[in-house]
Amino acid sequence: MKLLEVLKHWVHKRSDLSSNLLKFIMWKKLNRFFKENHSLLITAPSVAAVLIIFRLSGFLQLLEWAALDQFFRLRPSEIKDSRIIIVGISETDIRKIGQWPIPDGILAESIEKIKQQQPRVIGLDLYRDLPVQPGHEKLVNLFKTTPNLIGIKKVIDSSSSFAVNPPPALQEKDQIGANDLILDSDGKVRRGLLFMEDKAGNLVTHFSLKVAFKYLQNEGIIPKSAVSNPDFLQLKNQVFPRFQSNDGGYVRTANGGYQVLVNFRGAQNTFTIVPLTDLLENRISPDLMKDRIVLIGSIAASLQDYYSTPYDSGLNSSPQRTSGVEIHANMTSQIISAALEERPLIKGWSEPVEWLWIFTWSVIGVALGWLGRSLPTKYRFYSEYWALITIVISGVSLIGSSYLAFLAGWWIPVVPSLLALLGSAFAITSYIANLERKERQTLMQLFERRVTPKLAASLWEERDKLLEDGQVQGQELIATVLFTDLKGFSTIAENMTPKMLMGWLNNYMQTMAQIVLDNDGIIDKFIGDAVMAVFGVPIPSITNEEIALDVQKAVNCAVEMGKALKFLNQEWQNKGLPSVSMRVGIATGAVVAGSLGSALRQDYTIIGDTVNIASRLESYDKSIDGGICRILISEETYEYCQDKFVTKVVGTVVLKGRSQPVKVYQVLVE
């Protein structure tokens, strides 16, 4: 039992330790993610916030209206609503009748002929508040005896138009509807009224809705308050959401009365139009209007009862402006189709959902711009094309999805979302460009004149692996370190003027440095007359073959240095300058390579025991002869290059400052 309790206690402690360790690791990962991706986390909400503020300020309203209008124009033509017939009074009809307004007698004759075809509803979109002789008594009598006839009045009295009273006979029978239309600030009709209030505060049903009510009455459909919201109208299963001030692309728009967005069926001539003269002269089918809605109104251009709709782009040479009676036909058709066929109504999202949609596309823009930078090194050349192509595809997807949503009856914010996508992509791309400029500057400051152009290009391609927080992060790797020093340099320095010594030493250093670069090494530092070079950094060699190649390049570099010094000595002797010999120490092993220094000054260097061994090999036992260039290498270096160079064993020695013995080899050169 005691053993069991001990085991339980041990398991419990191990479980707590594992849990705490997991939490620590997760916290470290999260902290690193936020640290490395703070720009992504800031850019997306910032761009989205700016676009939302712009939108709420109304700066994008015209663009959003234009996008909606374009969707209307792109939408496939809908089937003509055969339930509605328009008797249009054209320029030809007016010329034939000889006056405007047309006399009451002719209007009465027209209505009588329509009644003979037994339509379900007749809508008279003509003002008849005053008599137009001859035939006024006949028209009044017809008003009184036609229960399915709906007349109009104009309710809104403004600086640009006056209120117009309805025909008294129809007013008495409550067969009147308001024919007022709402114009947006760009002069287009996009909203329609279902109900409104007159000056006395009385509720007035709109003409289109009144006609639709009359038609749907025969279908057994009566208006009622919606179950979901008692303030909304419901016809059968369809609820008509009331327009709010900021619906869709609108911003702080007046929403008086009961407004809805108009889902137009099409541009002008969408409905069947019968000329008035053809009706009067019996040139139409005798059952054309049976059980249908017949709307009577003017379509003559001279009467200026025309309005701009989404189908009028403003760029057309011949604008597709739509007559008032056709707009009422669209509204009536929208109401009836919604009730009978559940044709979609146009509605918008709530503002929080729209903001989330804009923010989502801002995140997508940032992600696409950032992912281009995260491509594998071999595909980095294509990162700019990646960003451009993916952003174009995303933009098309956004517009396409918004268009499909429109076909289903949803008006979602396409313009601010597209601007959020492009804006965030541009912002993160600019950030990345600035970041890369700083990274390139950092790398060049650390490595310029130390590496070949080829290696510099490789460094830039591998920068993601090298740089962290603006510094070359410390890497533990296997490298080969080379130290050189001149024999008798102190004596030479005593016998030369400083200026002559500087020129002589620079000649030597430039030659040796170029040999290092030619062998794909990097110059770590110059220390007086000494040179420290490293092979296998900063891009680490992973495989044994790669490490062996670094070793061979380092030893070959030392051999070439000896040959170059031989030629330098000849030149110096010809100029009366002293000649010298050199010592080289080479060691292979683990080192740590990275940036060292402060924010004001940084240097790329290598530290580790391998560096110390190479340095000590160079200065070991100066009595060992090697000719013009003595080269001593460590056992690890020897193992990687023994088949490539002629060597001999010096012995197993304890180098200065070390306690562990090292087996030393000498590379023999001619």
Side-chain angles (χ1 to χ4, degrees), residues 196-216:
M196 59 190 306
E197 289 184 355
D198 60 17
K199 287 183 178 180
N202 300 313
L203 188 67
V204 181
T205 304
H206 197 268
F207 174 66
S208 303
L209 183 60
K210 195 90 170 183
V211 171
F213 278 169
K214 197 72 176 176
Y215 183 89
L216 293 172

Side-chain angles (χ1 to χ4, degrees), residues 170-189:
L170 293 177
Q171 175 73 29
E172 291 174 4
K173 300 171 68 65
D174 193 26
Q175 294 175 214
I176 290 296
N179 75 331
D180 298 81
L181 296 176
I182 304 173
L183 302 182
D184 287 330
S185 60
D186 62 349
K188 290 188 178 182
V189 176

